Every structure is written in C-alpha cells, then in structure tokens.
Amino acid sequence: MRTSLQAVALWGKKAPPHSITAIMITDDQHMIVTGSQEGQLCLWNLSPELKISAKELLFGHSASVTCLARARDFSKQPYVVSAAENGEMCVWNVTNGQCVEKATLPYRHTAICYYHCSFRMTGEGWLLCCGEYQDVLIIDARTLAVVHSFTSSQSPDWVNCMCIVHSMRVQEDSLLVVSVAGELKVWDLSSSINSIQEKQDVYEKESKFLNSLNCQTIRFCTYTERLLLVVFSKCWKVYDYCDFSLLRTEVSRNGQFFAGGEVLAAHRILIWTEDGHSYIYQLLNRWAQMGAAYKTFSGLSKSIYPADGRVLKETVYPHLLCSTSVQENKSHPFVMGYMDERKEPFYKVLFSGEVSGRITLWHIPDVPVSKFDGSPREIPITTTWTLQDNFDKHHTVSQSIIDHISVFKDGAETAVVTSSEYVPSLDKLICGCEDGTIFITQALNAAKAGLLEGGSLLKDSPPLKVLKGHHQSVTSLLYPHGLSAKLDQSWIVSGDQDSCVILWDIFTGEVLHKFFLEAGPVTSLLMSPENFRLRGTPIICCVCSDHSVALLHLEEKRCLLRARKHLFPVRMIKWHPAENFLIVECTDDSVYIWEIETGTLERHETGERARIILDCCDGSQLVKPESVLAVTSETHKHRSVEQRSSSSHQRGPVPCAGLQVESSRT
C-alpha cells in the first residue's frame, strides 16, 4: 500500500525572494510563469478579468533562470521549458507543477522557440535555442537531447534573438535570427526537416548586415506578411520582408534604451524600453523616390512611376498613438512580453516582471487612438501584484518555525536566519543567524504549534538554547554524529563569515574549540566518508569562498590541512583512502591532489588526466549552495522537519503560505 504525502512549507510573514528574470503567459491565458535569479519558477493564476494570484513555487534550478518557452502543443500538453545560467534545462507540467524531464547541457541559452510541424515531423517537436554559442541548437522537446544545429556558411556567431515565421501565403516556415554582430540570417525550416533528421548540414538561405548592434527583438507581421520589425537597444527598424530593404529607422531619444517590441496589427507596433515605458505607433505610408529598378511585391501597395521615369518606393513613418503609464521608483532590471489572446475575452496584454518580484499587466485596446488634439493617450496599469501581496492578503497565516526566535519581546526583528540544521535523533532544529547567534529549538513542537495552534504556543515557548560565540554571520552548520556514529553525539560544528569554525557541546552550549582558518567565509562543512578515517575517526572538510579548503580533526582539535592554491571555486571534494589523499575539483575542471598528513600539494592536473583521477576516487561530495528550510508532513503519521538544499535538484512544487496549496500524491 502506497502512502499519500502532503508537502507543507512554513514561510513566515515575509514572502521568499523571487527576482524575476523571465516571464511568459501560457497559451491558454490561464497562467503566468516567471523564472528568477534564485533559480525557482513561480506559477501565477490569471483570471479572465486579468487578476493575478500566486499559485506555486517550483524548485529545480540551482542557478538563475535565463529564459522560458512553451514546450508542446499547449492544448494537448501544458508543458513549459526553462533554462538556467549553468546549462540546466527543465520541462514542467504547469498544471500540476511536476518536472517531467531535465538535462544539463554545456550551453547557456538566452532564447527558446518551440517548433512542431505535425504533417512532416514525428515526436513532440523541437526546441530551437540560441545563446552564448554559435548559431542555433535544435533540441528534442521530449528528451532534451541535442538533435542537430542550424549552421552558418559565413560569419558564424552568437545569436541575440530569433523568431519563427509562419507564412500562410506560401505555406512555408522560416527561422529568422540576428547575430551579436547585427547580421540577419534566414533558414528554411519546412524544407530542412528531412536534412536535420538525417544529420545533414543545414545552412542559411539568406543573410544581410543590418548595421546596428545589440538586437533585442525580431518580429514578423503575420497580418500583412510584408513587414519585419527589428528592435535594437538604440533604435528600431522596419524592413520589407520581401527583399529586406529598410523602410524606417527610429532612433532612441532622451537617453532611453529599447528592450523589445511586438506587432499588434497591420501597420501597428508596440515598442518598450529598459526603463519600463512602452509606446504604440501607427505606421503610415510615405513614398520616396528611388533610382533602383522597379520590383513588384504583394503587401501594402505597389510602387508607381512618376513623370521623370524614376521609381517611387514606399516607406513608412511612425505616428505615436498611445503610451503606457508606469509606477514610480520601478526596480531594474525587468523583463517584458506581449500576449495577443485568441480566446474570449480576446485581450491584448502587455506584461512585465521586475527584479523586485512585481508583475504588471496593461490591457492594450484593440484600436488604440490618440487624443482629440493628436497627442498620445496614456494606457493605465490594469493589474500589478507581488508574492508579498499574496502573503499580506491572508491575515491568518501560521507562523514559521523560526519566527518566534527572530523577534525580540518588544516586537523588533533581530538578525535573519542564515543557516540551519535539523537533528532528527534529538528533535532539534538549529538555526544560525546573521548576527552570529545560534538558536536551538524543539523542531516538532514548533512545527505543531505553527500549524495547529496559530503560533500561540510559539510565543510562549522560548528557544531551547542560545549559543553565542561567533562575531559574524553564521554561514554553515553540521551535526557530525548524524553522519558518523563514531563521533560524539553532543557535538555541533558551525562556520561563519569570518572563517571561524566552532565546535560546540549541543547540550551545555559550551564552546569546546575554535578553529581560525584565516580564509574566506565558510560556505560548506562536509564529513569524510565512512571508508576514510584518520587515526580511527572521520575528519571535517571546510570549503571557503576564497577557494580554499581546510581539514579539521575534531577529537584532536587541530587543523590538519590548509589548501589555498585553487584558482577557481571548489565544485567537488573526493577522497582517496589508500594514498591518504584529498582530491579537490574546481569549476574550471582542474583537479588538485593534496597529501593529508603532510599538507602538501601532490600535483595539479587538468583535462583527461583530471577526469581519470576523479573516476578512481571515492566519496564524491558536491559543494552546494547554502541550504534552506522546508517542512513536510506525512498523512496519518507524525510530522517531521527536513533540511533541503536549494540546489538539491528535488524538482516539484512547493506551495507558499497564502498561496493556493495543491496536494502532491505518490
């Protein structure tokens, strides 16, 4: 019989940080998805009246989210793909918040477009990706494996932005990209499907330098199939899609920088800037006399011959219709997007997400018009919302386990909790704080009081013990006996911002010893594996932010090794018991081999030799970011508290206090 589990998170009165770096509205217009600098995604309910309410936080990335996109035909499978700074990719079912596929690739994506041609392709379709690598990657939308790539025959380069052009007139699809050097390239999508499936090289059909840098957006006008909008940071341009001739250039003014744009309708465009302003223009026709040979195009109109026989070619000029109102003191940076709803009530929505975590929506009128005097009309903000608004909306939110230890008797807040450790065998929750204080409380009683008693018990039950010995923020905690029964069950180890490590007696609160590492802040405390012991006992490994590593022998109360020659951050620690070596892998893939007894650097290896050494060692221990607290409860059983790392790759939804809570059943 399988047990049902209910996940519960106690967040306290303040919403968790969610600094928005990517934002999208799903195709069914029922949900907003945001990615953040902290690595988590947030799902927000969007009502038909454009009201917003946070639903779930999804944990799956250990680095900042760079982009979001749909990953399937949304009407059949409500899937969204997210990509992070460190190459992680996740496909999410946004209906239930579950991660259905994950992968880590050596690529940093900055934009993703989903593509599927049902009558020419098998499978779930492709994710066309661009970023900090040459040209465009083609990734299988189901497996997240690299299928192929679109390759440049000339001037291969990183791609800034891209769009897929669906032409109803010719029933063909094309991929348009603009490189970091400002070169526009076009690949035939429809005719390249077989070549891609057969792993044949696919080169661009056309290319053209656009004479501008820092492209932000490229958009095709599906209403006329004639105009192409390209937005750069210092100007935006309109091209004739038939021959890529330039029809208009509009340069930024007043120190503003453009950040993106969209085609709203035939001859109507929306442009937004980095400071949160946006403008709607009507593109009016203008005729300019040209000396080139006449060429007929379908679209807006046709050129005519004046009396002198020279050609009049059409250009456009923008007339400003409307602008959007913005809140003062907006936080930067932020990201924006546009959704043209195809279902009732047929809203056109401009949306933005800020680093503060705020989402703002503007309802764009179907036919935006100027004022009677011809001046631009201002479109007001329709909705604005943050996670904190969700928390403030619900006044009966239970306190978190640590709320009562973070407040003085007079109600003033003390330093925030910066690290934590749960000791199940002793039912103790240990919290290190920003001011150097360490609190020890009874975890299950605190959880029960917070969940069932509305926090009243928490106020009446002070922390079990307060440890004072650090003079800087406590950055890491470790309970050694929980990892090795050989070590004293009364010991707790803590590290701080000043590279001081303290060995405590958890029962008496006594400082047993202080280790002064004279290094950077302690970021991780690790225990040697069971098969590695020095004189019969395990040893503690301290990783510091200055890339140094120290080994501590707790029973002898001495520092065995200070390894300071690492040029890059430490990524992994391994142990070689037979040779008494400590193996340190850094983020540049190099390996340092240290002799533990003598404290000397045995050798430094890179490349294939480094990989061979790592494969031969035991006790792989990834150095992870600081952990965070989560609370889980098991149906019909006792409640327990567990420590979860923010980068532990446990992908799935964690409901927030004041957010809609959904059950996760197994």
Side-chain angles (χ1 to χ4, degrees), residues 609-629:
R609 293 178 66 88
R611 287 190 289 272
I612 293 173
I613 291 172
L614 289 172
D615 291 340
C616 294
C617 298
D618 299 326
S620 173
Q621 294 175 300
L622 286 172
V623 177
K624 299 179 180 179
E626 186 179 329
S627 61
V628 296
L629 282 176

Side-chain angles (χ1 to χ4, degrees), residues 361-372:
L361 302 183
W362 294 266
H363 177 204
I364 305 301
D366 288 330
V367 186
V369 294
S370 305
K371 295 180 180 178
F372 291 114

Side-chain angles (χ1 to χ4, degrees), residues 256-310:
Q256 285 186 324
F257 292 94
F258 298 122
E262 192 64 67
V263 178
L264 301 182
H267 316 113
R268 192 179 306 135
I269 61 172
L270 170 66
I271 304 292
W272 56 81
T273 63
E274 287 186 351
D275 59 4
H277 293 81
S278 58
Y279 308 92
I280 298 176
Y281 295 95
Q282 185 74 31
L283 300 179
L284 304 178
N285 295 347
R286 173 183 288 170
W287 297 92
Q289 189 163 291
M290 307 287 290
Y294 170 70
K295 192 174 184 180
T296 301
F297 299 107
S298 62
L300 300 175
S301 55
K302 295 182 173 61
S303 302
I304 59 173
Y305 288 95
D308 61 5
R310 296 169 65 82

